[in-house]
Amino acid sequence: MRRSRGLATALTLALAGTCTAMGLGLVEQAAAITPPVAFTADELPTWQANGVVWALAQAGDQVFVGGTFSALRPPDGAAGTEQEAVNFATLDAATGAPTSCKLSFTVGSGSATVRALVLSPDKSTLYAGGYFGAVNGTAVSSLAAIDVATCTVKTGFRPAFAATVRALAVSGDTVYAGGDFLTVAGQPRERFAAVDAADGTLKPFTANADEPGRAVELTPDGQHVILGGDFFTVGGTNSHALAVVDATSGAVTKAYPGFIENNSVVKDIATDATGFYTGNEGTGGGVFDGRIALNLSDYGQRWRDTCLGATQAVLPYQDVLYSASHAHDCSSVGEYPDGQRHHLLAQPTTATGKLGWAPDTNDGIGEGIGPRVMTVGAKSGVQYLWVGGEFTTVNGAAQQSLTRFASTGDTGAPSVPVASAVSFKPGEVQVRWRTSLDLDDSTLTYKVYRGGSATPIATVAADSLFFRRPQASWTDTTVTAGQSYTYRVTATDAAGNASALSATASVTVPTSADGYPSAVRADGAQLFWRYDESALPFVADSSDGNQSGVHLNAPALRQTPGAVSGASTAIGFNGTDTQVYGDRRQNVGSTYSIETWFKTNTTTGGKLVGFGNNQARGSSQYDKHIYMTNDGRLVYGVYSGGTHTVTTAAAYNDNQWHHVVATQGPGGMTLYVDGVQKGTLGFTAHENFTGYWHVGGDSLGGWPDRPVSEYWAGQLDETAVYPTVLSAAQVQNHHALATAPADSVVEVQAAEDTYANAGAPGTNYGTSGSLAVRGSSFYASYLRFNLPAAPAGTVLKSATLSVKTSTMSGAGTTDTVSVLPVTGSWTEAGTTYANRPALGSPALGSFAGLAEGSAVQTTGLDKATVAGALGSAYSLALSSAGTDALWLWSSEAAANEGSPKLTLTFGAP
């Protein structure tokens, strides 16, 4: 449609080193490019035209290009390197460079153009249609035949078309044409005609249409011709935009009255062995802009893809339908809502669901349509998908009118995962990440690394598409309470192209279950956004539902203090355009609960949480929402034939944290604030539509007490959605747990560290980037930490020490390394082996060997000893009785990853 404005996750897990014992297999490496897609999304260097490409055809290793242009230039577009090319060019399929075949299509007055190219079945003759009067000076009339071997005009082929030819098809002895003409060789032929393939003489075929023809295609058996265009009648028969006619007479075989919307047309038709496919374009509202698949057996519809976005070309190839359009709204087929344009898509020839192939162009010049035509060329066993049109960029890089993609040589790596980690209870860490984007692979392999290790602890396979990037997650059950861990994630495609490592996600495992999030999860939340992220745009889901979210327009992250006691942070919204929307399209039934915490002093209201049918744009369907009026009252509403609301009497814009829960189920609607029921309504119906959860803003048109702003100005925290009705007792429990004292975690970096070396008794290593430990010959490492006092009302619940092995060969050790108290005084700048401090006893903890691979290692320390040193500077030493040296990063090393480090957990006595 021309307008003025611009999977479920499949997881396979393999624990490193334990696959055999657990009976789990490693993910098999798939063939390059996720089948059935046949081409990469990596654009290849291709010469460019300085105008619009309307037509493409392929013969041998040549690709013929027709359009409205005057020159070609190389892929880099360097000045002074242009070659004249008047509306036509021949390029090498494998290199994308011009060949020696050069033809100029011209006209005496007006602008010449080539709109259609087709080859004879034996590929010896190229037929070109458009609006032109001569080819290389040889007089023709809008349709010409070119000898492919000699690149010369066939002067014996002289049909006379009185207007533009827009479409061509050819059988063994006949060329079929569609366009704007009303006569051919002086005889009436309205918009469609057939001429002899050898000499161009007019044939009896008559399929007169009342409006222009834009597409002509033969059925594989050659018995029928499929016509497409703007028309409403063919041969006097009512058949808008599409018709099937007899190949000899032109008589209508199959008409399609009312089959395609009146304000839509057919721009392209393509066939394969089983059916034919139409590309459709519409103007105005209520149009059909997508694609239709029809069976050859009965010419009936197989499927209809109702995406909006002016489809210009369709190309079936190896059971995949590739299409050129600017599809901006595929919500009607359960995919992405109205928003960004996507110009190149692929789907099975059997269904509407999009595949993992999505290179992109821009709209470009002219009408701003983007790509307009496609063909497949081949050379040396490699297939090339060629795309032409009016675009000026491909995959974000400058490239005009022509591009191509190969069947091999996938070089594009997936995007870097955005990862986070969380732990709610002892013995368990959930690592989460937004699945990556790869334009030609929908199935990616993710590797999870712990503690800086070079060996992944887990491998996970997950599916994603450019419009559906669900959260993937993995749970580490090999962690120890009270210890800190770091995780990083990479994504790899089927060809082995790997993303960079994600940013480090850090987490400390609690020594007891965290009350509030544990209750939310136990009560069945299937979406739980805690807003603890430190980077855009991924909002992790802490439930088992993997329903992550996306930040829009950069809301403020890690706002403190959050609503819940402990380390959790909140998110801030500006009341103008910031929000979070869900990554998963879904249908919400009539039984659910919505929960969140909020804090604001706004006087312009706004939506806190709601369900709508769009993502980054305002929704046209929206309900199941909680919003605030200008005077601070809360409204909970659903829509079904009208608005149905529950509204609080009191205002809550007092800049304090408040808890709100809204439920609907068989008993009707209930609204709670701060654990207390504030209103009910015995209404159980709802509007049934698919959409996305929104936090911080979305449409509110037509709702009572509509605030000045649809966007929320304030902070939100701990948003959860349940597929059940929370009871009053559950709501009250959540409110109480949020204000109960929670454990707090303090990380203390080493203030000073060094080591002593018996082999160099007078040398100080205080500025070294390394620490060393060995029994013989002797090395010992010394660490000083400035310990905080316990927060008021809390005690030390656990203490852990983290160190990181260096990258040198043999840095790890098989010996036990003890953590000992230091009894003497020392300084980082002055300590040597000769004046080293004494080591005390007993040991506070120990490492039973440390692995190679520059990895962070953690051990627990004696809680009572560390507690006794709180509020003071405290020294530890690392010592060993063995002969296998251990090498660690010191605090001065750039790669230390925050080590050496003490992690202290404080909580209620």
Side-chain angles (χ1 to χ4, degrees):
M1 182 165 47
R2 302 177 189 173
R3 293 184 174 175
S4 57
R5 55 177 176 167
L7 287 166
T9 305
L11 300 179
T12 303
L13 168 65
L15 288 177
T18 60
C19 300
T20 302
M22 297 185 67
L24 298 174
L26 290 172
V27 177
E28 292 184 5
Q29 193 76 326
I33 311 169
T34 302
V37 171
F39 302 97
T40 79
D42 304 318
E43 74 280 6
L44 297 173
T46 308
W47 278 60
Q48 310 171 64
N50 66 348
V52 179
V53 170
W54 296 99
L56 293 169
Q58 176 267 334
D61 57 8
Q62 297 183 97
V63 173
F64 303 103
V65 181
T68 310
F69 51 85
S70 61
L72 296 177
R73 63 182 184 275
D76 59 10
T81 57
E82 286 193 347
Q83 295 184 10
E84 183 180 64
V86 183
N87 302 313
F88 180 86
T90 306
L91 303 181
D92 185 279
T95 67
T99 71
S100 59
C101 178
K102 301 181 187 299
L103 299 170
S104 295
F105 287 72
T106 57
V107 69
S109 62
S111 298
T113 184
V114 175
R115 291 300 182 105
L117 295 170
V118 68
L119 284 144
S120 60
D122 63 3
K123 300 292 183 81
S124 65
T125 303
L126 173 69
Y127 296 93
Y131 178 71
F132 45 83
V135 180
N136 278 9
T138 299
V140 293
S141 183
S142 293
L143 180 59
I146 310 299
D147 182 80
V148 171
T150 63
C151 189
T152 58
V153 179
K154 290 189 172 184
T155 56
F157 182 82
R158 295 291 299 274
F161 282 80
T164 302
V165 173
R166 297 183 180 274
L168 294 171
V170 60
S171 66
D173 61 359
T174 304
V175 178
Y176 298 90
D180 301 347
F181 51 85
L182 299 177
T183 63
V184 179
Q187 300 298 311
R189 291 293 189 276
E190 299 177 8
R191 282 93 184 192
F192 294 100
V195 298
D196 187 272
D199 60 15
T201 55
L202 187 64
K203 291 204 167 189
F205 176 91
T206 303
N208 292 334
D210 60 337
E211 295 290 344
R214 297 184 181 273
V216 180
E217 186 73 17
L218 280 158
T219 57
D221 62 8
Q223 299 301 304
H224 295 89
V225 183
I226 309 164
L227 310 179
D230 301 8
F231 51 81
F232 288 87
T233 62
V234 175
T237 300
N238 182 14
S239 188
H240 173 53
L242 182 66
V244 181
V245 300
D246 181 81
T248 301
S249 67
V252 174
T253 301
K254 172 69 174 179
Y256 293 90
F259 184 67
I260 295 173
E261 282 75 357
N262 283 349
N263 51 351
S264 297
V265 303
V266 170
K267 297 297 291 289
D268 191 27
I269 300 172
T271 62
D272 63 13
T274 65
F276 62 97
Y277 309 87
T278 69
N280 304 268
E281 175 185 281
T283 302
V287 303
F288 173 57
D289 251 1
R291 294 154 290 282
I292 306 174
L294 301 101
N295 297 313
L296 287 172
S297 57
D298 60 1
Y299 305 129
Q301 178 174 296
R302 181 187 307 165
W303 52 255
R304 180 178 293 225
D305 185 336
T306 53
C307 287
L308 296 175
T311 303
Q312 303 298 304
V314 286
L315 176 65
Y317 182 77
Q318 294 183 358
D319 300 324
V320 172
L321 184 68
Y322 298 87
S323 59
S325 68
H326 56 244
H328 57 85
D329 185 353
C330 289
S331 58
S332 61
V333 290
E335 295 174 335
Y336 56 91
D338 193 13
Q340 179 182 346
R341 292 181 169 192
H342 300 277
H343 297 84
L344 295 169
L345 299 172
Q347 60 201 104
T349 55
T350 56
T352 62
K354 305 304 178 293
L355 298 170
W357 185 81
D360 205 10
T361 72
N362 64 354
D363 291 344
I365 60 177
E367 296 179 60
I369 294 291
R372 288 185 174 273
V373 62
M374 298 181 294
T375 195
V376 174
K379 187 174 183 179
S380 301
V382 178
Q383 288 72 46
Y384 299 90
L385 174 62
W386 284 71
V387 179
E390 58 195 26
F391 50 85
T392 58
T393 66
V394 178
N395 289 341
Q399 176 72 25
Q400 185 172 353
S401 300
L402 280 168
T403 190
R404 61 205 175 96
F405 308 93
S407 60
T408 188
D410 181 10
T411 59
S415 62
V416 179
V418 181
S420 66
V422 68
S423 181
F424 300 121
K425 61 183 181 181
E428 189 174 291
V429 169
Q430 182 195 42
V431 185
R432 307 85 56 90
W433 61 93
R434 189 185 191 200
T435 46
S436 296
L437 173 63
D438 189 291
L439 296 179
D440 47 31
D441 286 279
S442 55
T443 299
L444 300 175
T445 299
Y446 298 88
K447 295 178 181 179
V448 182
Y449 298 86
R450 188 174 79 180
S453 172
T455 302
I457 190 173
T459 301
V460 175
D463 291 340
S464 59
L465 296 168
F466 69 92
F467 60 89
R468 184 182 299 132
R469 295 173 59 187
Q471 174 176 295
S473 63
W474 171 74
T475 300
D476 187 354
T477 57
T478 64
V479 294
T480 302
Q483 295 192 20
S484 298
Y485 297 88
T486 60
Y487 298 88
R488 303 180 82 178
V489 182
T490 64
T492 305
D493 68 14
N497 301 304
S499 74
L501 282 164
S502 70
T504 299
S506 301
V507 65
T508 299
V509 182
T511 56
S512 59
D514 194 345
Y516 184 84
S518 295
V520 171
R521 287 166 56 86
D523 287 340
Q526 288 298 295
L527 180 155
F528 186 18
W529 295 343
R530 304 205 71 198
Y531 309 118
D532 295 332
E533 293 76 29
S534 57
L536 303 168
F538 172 60
V539 182
D541 182 9
S542 292
S543 78
D544 293 328
N546 281 327
Q547 295 195 56
S548 55
V550 179
H551 298 112
L552 180 64
N553 296 322
L557 306 183
R558 299 196 64 80
Q559 302 294 289
T560 57
V564 177
S565 299
S568 181
T569 60
I571 188 170
F573 298 95
N574 63 12
T576 303
D577 62 357
T578 56
Q579 64 160 298
V580 171
Y581 61 81
D583 229 357
R584 180 183 299 178
R585 181 181 175 90
Q586 60 187 287
N587 186 282
V588 178
S590 59
T591 299
Y592 58 89
S593 297
I594 305 168
E595 177 177 35
T596 198
W597 287 77
F598 67 94
K599 178 182 178 181
T600 187
N601 60 1
T602 184
T603 58
T604 58
K607 184 176 290 191
L608 284 71
V609 185
F611 191 70
N613 67 341
N614 214 320
Q615 286 181 316
R617 296 186 179 184
S619 297
S620 59
Q621 290 179 287
Y622 40 93
D623 75 337
K624 305 176 185 67
H625 50 209
I626 303 168
Y627 63 92
M628 180 173 277
T629 63
N630 293 337
D631 59 5
R633 292 173 295 127
L634 292 174
V635 181
Y636 163 43
V638 299
Y639 184 89
S640 181
T643 61
H644 305 269
T645 60
V646 178
T647 305
T648 66
Y652 295 94
N653 55 347
D654 56 2
N655 217 30
Q656 301 295 314
W657 280 112
H658 295 283
H659 178 229
V660 59
V661 176
T663 71
Q664 186 181 28
M669 301 164 57
T670 304
L671 179 64
Y672 301 87
V673 180
D674 294 335
V676 178
Q677 186 184 108
K678 296 296 182 179
T680 62
L681 182 66
F683 188 77
T684 59
H686 72 113
E687 187 173 15
N688 187 18
F689 64 93
T690 56
Y692 310 85
W693 286 106
H694 292 255
V695 171
D698 196 16
S699 304
L700 279 170
W703 283 81
D705 292 321
R706 181 184 179 186
V708 169
S709 176
E710 294 180 335
Y711 287 87
W712 169 257
Q715 296 181 357
L716 293 171
D717 200 2
E718 308 292 335
T719 302
V721 178
Y722 306 77
T724 58
V725 174
L726 290 180
S727 67
Q730 288 173 310
V731 173
Q732 292 162 8
N733 182 48
H734 290 192
H735 182 256
L737 286 171
T739 56
D743 291 352
S744 60
V745 177
V746 178
E747 294 183 344
V748 184
Q749 310 294 328
E752 293 186 278
D753 54 14
T754 188
Y755 72 95
N757 177 6
T763 302
N764 171 258
Y765 296 95
T767 59
S768 170
S770 297
L771 299 171
V773 181
R774 184 168 62 192
S776 178
S777 61
F778 179 87
Y779 295 111
S781 293
Y782 302 94
L783 316 171
R784 178 176 287 115
F785 298 93
N786 295 323
L787 301 182
T794 68
V795 297
L796 182 68
K797 300 183 71 174
S798 69
T800 62
L801 172 66
S802 299
V803 295
K804 185 179 183 183
T805 51
S806 75
T807 53
M808 74 165 58
S809 178
T813 182
T814 59
D815 296 333
T816 296
V817 175
S818 297
V819 183
L820 303 171
V822 176
T823 60
S825 63
W826 65 281
T827 64
E828 180 179 86
T831 297
T832 66
Y833 177 78
N835 66 8
R836 70 191 185 281
L839 305 180
S841 63
L844 283 69
S846 64
F847 295 93
L850 289 91
E852 304 283 335
S854 191
V856 175
Q857 303 288 340
T858 304
T859 187
L861 302 182
D862 182 74
K863 180 174 64 175
T865 302
V866 177
L870 292 174
S872 66
Y874 187 65
S875 293
L876 302 173
L878 299 177
S879 180
S880 171
T883 58
D884 187 9
L886 168 68
W887 289 92
L888 305 170
W889 293 121
S890 75
S891 58
E892 283 81 12
N896 67 64
E897 216 173 322
S899 301
K901 175 177 65 179
L902 283 180
T903 301
L904 309 177
T905 302
F906 298 96

